[in-house]
């Protein structure tokens, strides 16, 4: 502890030397204690030893495993001290972030379960626990200690006696512990009362010199009430190991500038006391009972009430008491070169109020203690560590943000990632009313342009968030390789299913499971062997809270979202021109041309001579806007079944009595509907259209029967398909999946149902999905009956806690769960052989879940945001 800090303290000049009059010779050092906080629960977490792994010697453990300590360098100026404290905090914050936790500098943290904590593993702390019991178990507090260099222990004792009466003011300035074990105590510094239970806490004793002080310590140790000199917890004390006097009574303070103010004032008090001692001025001790009373008042009030002025022995407004002390110390502050800094910091502290007051204000907004912890995390992190930032009652967007573990943009220390920092800066520059106005402008544009999606029968503007998601291209390239591999394996599987079925003979999948797959359709056998079956694949990826990307599912039928991904970039440029993708960000506007090329290649001849049409069910389709937008961007026809004429020779678009040939039909309606919907002649279209496909008169993308490839039970087998068909190891991880048709897996699922995600094997769009932890007992019981009735119709997956991303909601940033739908197009160049080529379009769609939901699908009320693939 102090020994680590003080090893660098060099003895100060003797009092009689000329240099002794220079306050700059009074070196400074600070010890800060930090609570370790779980970012998900906001509770104190006993993982301090893990945070400390790999950190240098100026970081150390404390009594509680949930507390870590830092030691500054020894400095001579407040500017140097500030730089060092900022550096140390950032080092600690980075180490904590690596463990997935945050750190808080405050006297206490409101959310704590003492039963979950424990003392650090060493013999001294174990003995303290045995001796002091509850005092140790409830020692979940943190303080700030300031060291000032002195020439010897006699000077330290003399100074300690003289400064004691002024220390209650420093306690008031540091007050940051209004909450204790989940309750508002009514005090600004409740840590003071937890700390005061120790037998050697309180005012410094009235002793004549260092010899008398050391004799007192020997007697205390001899009484066995304390075991060593390290347990001397007076409000101020001579260090036992180094030539300093140490201030110990202050709460840990979240803002670095408050630490700086305490250090500047305490050094000035030490300088004044030393000058008085050198001048032979008499010392008039104040009774310890009065000092205790003044401490009680400071702990009760903080900076929001009266303090006891020990000159007059009566209460005075806190502003008056603080300013009187600062003014009285002006000569010493000027001598130290600290006057302007301390005066400015004092104004800031009195204007902004105590940390205790700010914490209560954060709680009042929603009456959530998690908001208090979020504020402390922000202020501790130093997100605003520019020199002496102006205090403000208005918290930044980041300060008000509800931090989640695994958030992709705002890290555990509440600082944005390097890539996201310019985005956050641009958003912070816009006042809340302006941000709200941008949201209204977005909604108007969405309505005017009819950018809609249908949810539960209601057509509404498709929600596109105005905060982009950033993914580094190095990460995207790794995803690309895995996505291409997966797409080619699924394409090979589809051909195998409707052909030789080598996957069954190789034991990859039972024939019974394949035959029972809801997506297996007889019509799939009518597709020519040379055709690409899965021309467009939408693969959904999630990033878990540890940062690992996983494939959640594949969509090989009619995956939607590409037009919304391209539109999101255009909308953002119009509504939020302040947000400009950095140079080198991959474009989205070329995705339509790449899609069109892949689709036209399905005709088996040069794409330039191919007539492409998008087949939609019409204005009633939930994705009607996307259908017409893609058709326009690909320079393709937009047709409905009623527009089509099928003959032995091919498929034609009928317009004003004339027929226009179609070479490739991009199917965007469900194949069940295609089976029965009438064509232009009023007869069912499906069977005749498939006959034309089989005869080679038209190419149909995506092919009927593809649903077998995105069957949820088949999903579990894709890694085996990659090994079997490609001879490669899977590059992307999946989610552990349990096929309920397997009796052993079913038994596990039934036992673990409250912690798993249950999905119907033929479900898509989020329909029928049940998230076990969010379901009621009655819902799980009903689901259990359905699974038992038809196990082959269900799969279960381990719950993946999705990453979150800031989303703009009513002018505020709110965390929302996100996933990523990536689009892979497959094409076959007739001049390059029969092997298909896979391309991942640089327009992935980030899908955003509604508030409180983990289901991101648009059909379940989710939205989207622009995705920047940045250098």
């Amino acid at each position: 502890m102090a020994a680590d800090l003080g090893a660098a303290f060099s003895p100060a000049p003797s009092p009689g030397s000329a240099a002794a009059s220079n306050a700059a010779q009074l070196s400074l050092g600070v010890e800060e204690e930090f609570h370790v906080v779980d970012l998900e629960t906001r509770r104190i977490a006993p993982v301090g030893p893990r945070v400390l792994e790999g950190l240098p010697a100026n970081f150390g453990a404390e009594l509680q495993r949930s507390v870590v300590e830092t030691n500054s360098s020894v400095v001579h100026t407040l500017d140097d001290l500030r730089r060092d404290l900022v550096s140390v905090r950032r080092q600690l914050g980075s180490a904590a972030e690596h463990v997935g936790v945050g750190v808080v500098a405050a006297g206490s943290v409101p959310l704590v379960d003492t039963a979950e904590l424990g003392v650090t593993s060493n013999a001294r702390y174990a003995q303290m626990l045995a001796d002091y019991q509850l005092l140790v178990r409830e020692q979940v507090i943190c303080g700030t200690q300031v060291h000032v260099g002195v020439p010897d222990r006699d000077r330290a004792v003399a100074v300690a006696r003289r400064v004691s009466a002024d220390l209650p003011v420093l306690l008031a300035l540091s007050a940051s512990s209004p909450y204790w074990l989940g309750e508002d105590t009514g005090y600004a510094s409740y840590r003071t009362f937890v700390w005061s239970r120790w037998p050697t806490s309180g005012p410094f004793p009235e002793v004549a010199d260092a010899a008398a002080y050391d004799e007192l310590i020997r007697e205390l140790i001899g009484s066995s009430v304390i075991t060593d000199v390290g347990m001397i917890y007076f409000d101020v004390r001579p260090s036992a190991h180094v030539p300093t006097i140490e201030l110990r009574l202050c709460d840990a303070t979240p803002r670095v500038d408050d630490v700086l103010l305490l250090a500047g004032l305490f050094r000035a008090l030490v300088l004044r006391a030393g000058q008085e001692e050198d001048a032979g001025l008499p010392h008039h001790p104040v009774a310890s009972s009065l000092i205790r009373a003044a401490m009680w008042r400071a702990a009760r009030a903080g900076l929001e009430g009266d303090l006891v002025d020990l000159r007059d022995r009566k209460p005075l407004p806190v502003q008056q008491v603080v300013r009187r002390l600062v003014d009285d110390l002006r000569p010493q502050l000027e001598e130290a070169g600290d006057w302007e800094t301390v005066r400015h910091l004092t104004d800031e502290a009195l204007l902004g109020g105590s940390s205790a007051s700010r914490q209560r204000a954060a709680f009042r907004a929603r009456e959530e203690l998690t908001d208090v912890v979020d504020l402390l995390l922000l202020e501790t992190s130093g997100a605003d560590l520019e020199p002496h930032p102006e205090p403000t009652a208005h918290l930044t967007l980041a300060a008000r943000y509800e931090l989640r573990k695994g958030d992709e943009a705002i890290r555990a220390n509440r600082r944005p990632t390097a890539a996201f920092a310019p985005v956050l800066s641009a958003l912070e520059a816009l006042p809340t009313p302006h941000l709200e106005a941008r949201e209204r402008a977005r909604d108007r544009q969405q309505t005017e342009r009819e950018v809609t999606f249908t949810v539960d029968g209601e057509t509404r503007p498709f929600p596109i968030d105005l905060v982009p998601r950033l993914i580094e291209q190095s990460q995207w390239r790794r995803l690309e390789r895995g996505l291409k591999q997966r797409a080619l394996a699924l394409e090979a599987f589809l051909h195998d299913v409707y052909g030789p079925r080598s996957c069954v003979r190789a034991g990859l999948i039972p024939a019974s499971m394949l035959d029972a797959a809801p997506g297996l359709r007889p019509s799939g056998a009518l597709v020519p062997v040379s055709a690409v079956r899965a021309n467009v694949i939408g693969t959904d990826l999630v990033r878990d809270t540890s940062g690992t990307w996983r494939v959640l599912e594949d969509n090989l039928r009619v995956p939607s979202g590409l037009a919304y991904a391209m539109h999101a970039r255009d909308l953002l440029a119009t509504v939020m021109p302040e947000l400009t993708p950095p140079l080198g960000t991959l474009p989205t506007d070329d995705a339509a041309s790449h899609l069109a090329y892949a689709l036209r290649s399905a005709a088996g001849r040069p794409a330039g001579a191919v007539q492409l049409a998008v087949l939609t069910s019409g204005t009633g389709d939930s994705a009607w806007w996307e259908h017409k937008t893609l058709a326009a961007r690909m320079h393709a026809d937009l047709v409905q079944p009623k527009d089509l004429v099928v003959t032995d020779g091919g498929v034609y678009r009928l317009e004003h009595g004339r027929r226009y040939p179609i070479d490739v039909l991009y199917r965007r309606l469900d194949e069940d509907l295609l089976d029965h919907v009438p064509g232009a002649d009023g007869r069912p279209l499906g069977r005749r259209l498939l006959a034309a496909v089989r005869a080679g008169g038209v190419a149909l993308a995506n092919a009927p029967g593809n649903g077998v490839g995105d069957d949820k039970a088949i999903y579990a087998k894709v890694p085996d398909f990659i090994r079997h068909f490609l001879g490669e190891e899977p590059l992307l991880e999946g989610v552990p999946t349990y096929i309920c048709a397997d009796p052993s897996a079913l038994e596990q699922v039934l036992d673990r149902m409250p912690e798993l995600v249950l999905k119907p094997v033929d479900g898509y769009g989020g329909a029928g999905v049940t998230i076990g932890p969010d379901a009621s007992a009655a819902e799980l019981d009903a689901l259990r009956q359905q699974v038992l009735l038809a196990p082959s119709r269900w799969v279960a997956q381990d719950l993946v806690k999705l990453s979150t991303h800031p989303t703009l909601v009513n002018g505020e940033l709110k965390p929302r769960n996100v996933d990523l739908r990536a689009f892979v197009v497959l094409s076959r160049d007739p001049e390059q052989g029969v092997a298909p080529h896979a391309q991942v379009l640089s327009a992935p769609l980030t899908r955003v879940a509604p508030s409180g939901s983990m289901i991101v699908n648009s059909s379940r009320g989710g939205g989207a945001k622009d995705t920047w693939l940045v250098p």
Side-chain angles (χ1 to χ4, degrees):
M1 293 173 62
D4 296 332
L5 171 69
F9 272 98
S10 57
S14 63
S17 71
S21 63
N22 186 349
Q25 298 298 325
L26 298 183
S27 49
L28 282 171
V30 169
E31 296 175 65
E32 291 191 271
E33 295 169 350
F34 298 83
H35 299 280
V36 180
V37 175
D38 183 284
L39 295 176
E40 192 165 1
T41 65
R42 316 305 205 284
R43 290 182 179 275
I44 288 177
V47 295
R50 290 180 56 201
V51 173
L52 293 171
E53 290 176 2
L55 286 173
N58 60 316
F59 297 82
E62 263 293 345
L63 174 62
Q64 289 282 354
R65 290 171 57 84
S66 59
V67 174
V68 295
E69 179 190 71
T70 66
N71 296 275
S72 78
S73 301
V74 178
V75 298
H76 290 84
T77 71
L78 292 182
D79 285 343
D80 286 344
L81 179 61
R82 190 178 201 283
R83 280 190 288 271
D84 192 78
L85 291 176
V86 169
S87 174
V88 168
R89 285 195 180 200
R90 287 178 174 165
Q91 278 183 273
L92 179 61
S94 178
E97 181 182 353
H98 183 72
V99 178
V101 294
V103 290
V104 163
S108 64
V109 170
L111 296 175
V112 57
D113 184 349
T114 56
E116 296 178 353
L117 306 181
V119 300
T120 299
S121 180
N122 70 37
R124 180 171 184 264
Y125 290 150
Q127 186 62 51
M128 289 178 68
L129 177 61
D131 291 343
Y132 297 98
Q133 296 293 314
L134 188 64
L135 268 66
V136 169
R137 293 197 297 273
E138 290 192 350
Q139 186 74 1
V140 194
I141 55 176
C142 286
T144 298
Q145 290 97 48
V146 179
H147 287 259
V148 174
V150 291
D152 53 51
R153 286 174 62 75
D154 279 326
R155 171 57 66 95
V157 169
V159 167
R161 295 165 61 215
R162 289 178 179 269
V163 302
S164 291
D166 291 305
L167 299 185
V169 178
L170 304 190
L171 173 60
L173 288 166
S174 74
S176 64
S177 49
Y179 296 98
W180 177 248
L181 301 183
E183 294 185 10
D184 189 331
T185 64
Y187 292 84
S189 172
Y190 196 70
R191 169 189 170 275
T192 297
F193 303 103
V194 178
W195 182 253
S196 68
R197 297 183 295 186
W198 290 93
T200 53
S201 63
F204 187 79
E206 278 295 327
V207 290
D209 52 26
Y213 176 72
D214 292 340
E215 178 59 25
L216 173 63
I217 294 175
R218 283 192 292 271
E219 291 174 354
L220 287 169
I221 295 174
S223 73
S224 295
V225 172
I226 63 173
T227 57
D228 56 59
V229 69
M231 295 184 65
I232 297 297
Y233 298 142
F234 299 134
D235 299 335
V236 63
R237 72 178 187 185
S239 171
H241 308 289
V242 292
T244 70
I245 181 169
E246 180 184 1
L247 174 70
R248 296 188 56 82
L249 86 160
C250 294
D251 283 4
T253 60
R255 299 195 313 186
V256 165
D257 281 340
D258 290 336
V259 181
L260 217 64
L261 176 58
L262 296 172
L265 288 174
F266 184 57
R267 177 162 68 172
L269 283 170
V270 171
L271 179 58
R272 185 178 70 178
Q275 291 170 345
E276 291 174 351
E277 190 72 14
D278 289 342
L281 298 180
H283 166 51
H284 302 289
V286 177
S288 62
S289 57
L290 284 173
I291 294 176
R292 284 184 179 276
M295 289 293 186
W296 183 93
R297 174 55 63 186
R300 175 73 170 85
L303 297 178
E304 286 70 45
D306 292 342
L307 297 181
V308 177
D309 187 331
L310 288 175
R311 295 182 186 181
D312 304 325
R313 310 311 202 250
K314 63 182 181 182
L316 291 174
V318 63
Q319 299 253 352
Q320 185 175 338
V321 178
V322 172
R323 292 195 185 280
R324 175 187 284 186
L325 176 64
V326 174
D327 289 341
D328 286 348
L329 292 173
R330 180 167 183 170
Q332 289 76 31
L333 291 168
E334 288 181 338
E335 184 175 351
D338 295 340
W339 166 247
E340 289 298 332
T341 297
V342 168
R343 181 184 61 80
H344 176 71
L345 293 177
T346 300
D347 291 341
E348 300 242 311
L350 293 176
L351 179 63
S354 68
S355 171
S357 176
R358 296 194 299 274
Q359 291 177 50
R360 289 186 171 116
F363 177 79
R364 285 194 297 271
R366 297 193 311 148
E367 297 191 347
E368 292 284 351
L369 287 174
T370 53
D371 292 348
V372 177
V373 183
D374 287 345
L375 171 66
L376 291 171
L377 285 164
L378 172 72
E379 292 190 347
T380 301
S381 72
D384 56 350
L385 285 180
E386 293 302 319
H388 315 315
E390 293 187 5
T392 174
H394 173 71
L395 300 177
T396 64
L397 288 171
R400 301 193 297 272
Y401 186 62
E402 183 183 351
L403 191 64
R404 300 283 181 85
K405 184 177 182 180
D407 194 89
E408 295 184 13
I410 298 180
R411 297 177 296 189
N413 61 2
R414 290 197 165 269
R415 293 173 60 84
T417 62
F420 190 70
V423 174
L424 182 61
S425 178
L427 293 170
E428 296 280 15
L430 295 172
T432 298
H434 290 203
L435 292 172
E436 293 172 333
R438 301 301 178 87
E439 291 179 88
R440 292 192 295 271
R442 170 204 58 197
D443 294 342
R444 284 195 305 272
Q445 287 203 26
Q446 294 291 84
T447 301
E448 291 168 359
R449 299 182 184 183
E450 298 181 332
V451 185
T452 59
F453 201 89
T454 302
V455 180
D456 296 330
E458 178 187 353
T459 300
R460 61 184 71 167
F462 184 72
I464 293 181
D465 178 44
L466 297 180
V467 181
R469 181 191 198 182
L470 281 66
I471 298 174
E472 294 182 358
Q473 288 175 22
S474 57
Q475 192 174 77
W476 175 247
R477 297 307 180 198
R478 291 194 293 272
L479 293 178
E480 270 189 324
R481 292 192 291 272
L483 289 165
K484 290 178 181 179
Q485 180 192 61
R486 195 173 181 94
L488 292 172
L490 284 167
E491 172 73 8
F493 166 71
L494 290 175
H495 280 274
D496 190 54
V497 167
Y498 295 106
R501 291 200 168 188
S502 66
C503 61
V504 174
R505 294 196 306 275
L508 271 65
I509 186 170
S512 59
M513 177 180 169
L514 194 58
D515 293 337
L520 185 71
R521 300 296 178 88
S523 57
L526 302 178
V527 178
V529 174
S530 60
V532 172
R533 289 178 174 267
N535 308 79
V536 184
I537 299 175
T539 296
D540 296 336
L541 300 155
V542 294
R543 188 180 183 187
D544 64 24
T545 54
S546 70
T548 301
W549 286 94
R550 299 177 184 274
V551 175
L552 188 63
E553 62 183 36
D554 305 286
N555 301 273
L556 287 76
R557 291 180 252 199
V558 285
S560 64
L562 180 60
Y564 295 105
M566 293 186 288
H567 172 70
R569 180 70 52 87
D570 299 337
L571 179 68
L572 200 63
T574 302
V575 177
M576 292 289 288
E578 296 87 353
L579 300 180
T580 304
L583 188 65
T585 299
L586 299 183
T588 61
D589 53 7
D590 60 357
S593 61
H594 291 303
L595 173 63
Y597 175 84
L599 292 172
R600 287 188 167 95
S601 71
R605 61 179 187 272
V610 172
Q611 185 58 44
L612 172 66
V614 177
L615 177 60
T616 176
S617 62
T619 57
D621 194 291
S622 61
W624 162 249
W625 177 85
E626 175 166 72
H627 299 168
K628 65 179 183 180
T629 300
L630 284 179
R633 292 204 179 209
M634 294 190 297
H635 306 290
D637 293 331
L638 181 64
V639 298
Q640 298 180 45
K642 63 182 180 62
D643 301 321
L644 298 182
V645 174
V646 180
T647 69
D648 292 339
V651 177
Y652 301 85
R653 174 175 61 87
L654 184 65
E655 183 177 354
H656 303 304
R658 295 187 60 182
R659 296 180 178 183
Y660 299 89
I662 295 174
D663 300 306
V664 178
L665 201 56
Y666 177 29
R667 180 178 64 86
R668 288 303 302 265
L669 53 78
D670 188 86
E671 60 192 275
D672 288 338
L673 179 62
L674 185 63
D675 285 344
H676 309 291
V677 69
D681 57 6
R683 293 188 297 161
L685 183 65
R687 184 175 299 178
R688 293 181 296 140
L689 177 60
L690 290 174
V693 170
R694 184 170 180 80
V698 68
L700 187 61
N702 279 353
N706 277 8
V708 68
D710 58 29
D711 183 297
K712 299 300 185 292
I714 298 299
Y715 162 91
K717 303 293 184 179
V718 174
D720 293 332
F721 298 160
I722 293 172
R723 298 182 183 98
H724 177 72
F725 294 114
L726 305 183
E728 301 170 357
E729 284 300 310
L731 298 175
L732 293 176
E733 294 186 45
V735 179
T737 301
Y738 311 93
I739 301 172
C740 294
D742 181 342
S744 62
L746 176 63
E747 184 177 353
Q748 288 188 60
V749 170
L750 294 176
D751 287 342
R752 298 178 56 208
M753 191 171 285
E755 61 189 68
L756 297 174
V757 178
L758 275 293
K759 298 179 177 181
V761 296
D762 59 345
Y764 58 95
V769 174
T770 299
I771 298 175
D774 295 341
S776 67
E779 290 170 331
L780 289 176
D781 185 62
L783 180 62
R784 181 184 298 272
Q785 300 308 313
Q786 295 179 65
V787 173
L788 285 171
L789 180 64
S792 63
R793 302 299 300 273
W794 294 90
V795 298
Q797 292 182 324
D798 287 343
L799 178 66
V800 177
K801 293 187 177 180
L802 308 186
S803 62
T804 58
H805 197 281
T807 300
L808 192 64
V809 181
N810 299 325
E812 297 285 344
L813 291 183
K814 301 290 184 182
R816 295 289 186 265
N817 289 314
V818 292
D819 80 352
L820 189 73
R821 172 163 288 183
F823 299 95
V824 187
V825 293
L826 297 182
S827 59
R828 179 175 286 124
D829 188 335
E831 298 179 1
Q832 300 295 325
V834 295
H837 169 74
Q839 179 181 6
V840 183
L841 304 181
S842 62
L845 179 70
T846 289
R847 300 188 300 177
V848 183
S851 176
S853 174
M854 292 182 64
I855 300 178
V856 298
N857 300 81
S858 304
S859 57
R860 313 308 295 172
K865 62 167 67 223
D866 190 13
T867 308
W868 293 358
L869 303 177
V870 299

